[in-house]
Amino acid sequence: MRNAIGKMGWLIMALAVAWGSSPARAATYHGTLNSNTTWNEGDEVIIDGDLTVASGITLTVNAGAVVQVQSGYRITVDGTLDVDGASDNAATFQGHTASAWYGIVVP
């Protein structure tokens, strides 16, 4: 009996560790950003509709952030887009799938 309880305890502990270490979900954005927003290293951002950075608003994309834009959508910047990266730690903008996205538009 003591052995069975010990094994069950280890199983519960292993499940708790696995549950707590599950990967974070990607944040999705579309519409208009009406407040200053920052995406940081390790953030996975999915643009799932056209996204506009409103006038007077800053979108900051720091080194290590990955921005994936779904097919057919674009990011329009009426405010400020501040991208910080380096060749060894880039901020990445890419299509979410193999299909094309429309890019970043600065009118």
Side-chain angles (χ1 to χ4, degrees):
M1 184 64 148
R2 183 178 273 183
N3 219 2
I5 293 172
K7 289 180 182 178
M8 182 62 78
W10 280 107
L11 176 61
I12 291 170
M13 187 184 316
L15 289 173
V17 168
W19 181 270
S21 64
S22 62
R25 291 182 172 206
T28 58
Y29 289 85
H30 59 268
T32 302
L33 288 179
N34 289 310
S35 62
N36 294 332
T37 302
T38 301
W39 299 331
N40 293 304
E41 181 170 4
D43 288 349
E44 182 181 346
V45 176
I46 297 175
I47 307 302
D48 62 354
D50 287 329
L51 179 69
T52 300
V53 180
S55 179
I57 299 301
T58 299
L59 171 58
T60 302
V61 183
N62 287 320
V66 177
V67 180
Q68 300 179 21
V69 184
Q70 290 185 345
S71 177
Y73 298 119
R74 73 188 78 211
I75 300 171
T76 302
V77 182
D78 293 330
T80 301
L81 176 61
D82 181 14
V83 181
D84 180 28
S87 61
D88 63 339
N89 192 18
T92 304
F93 291 83
Q94 62 191 27
H96 183 65
T97 62
S99 301
W101 60 288
Y102 292 144
I104 299 172
V105 178
V106 182

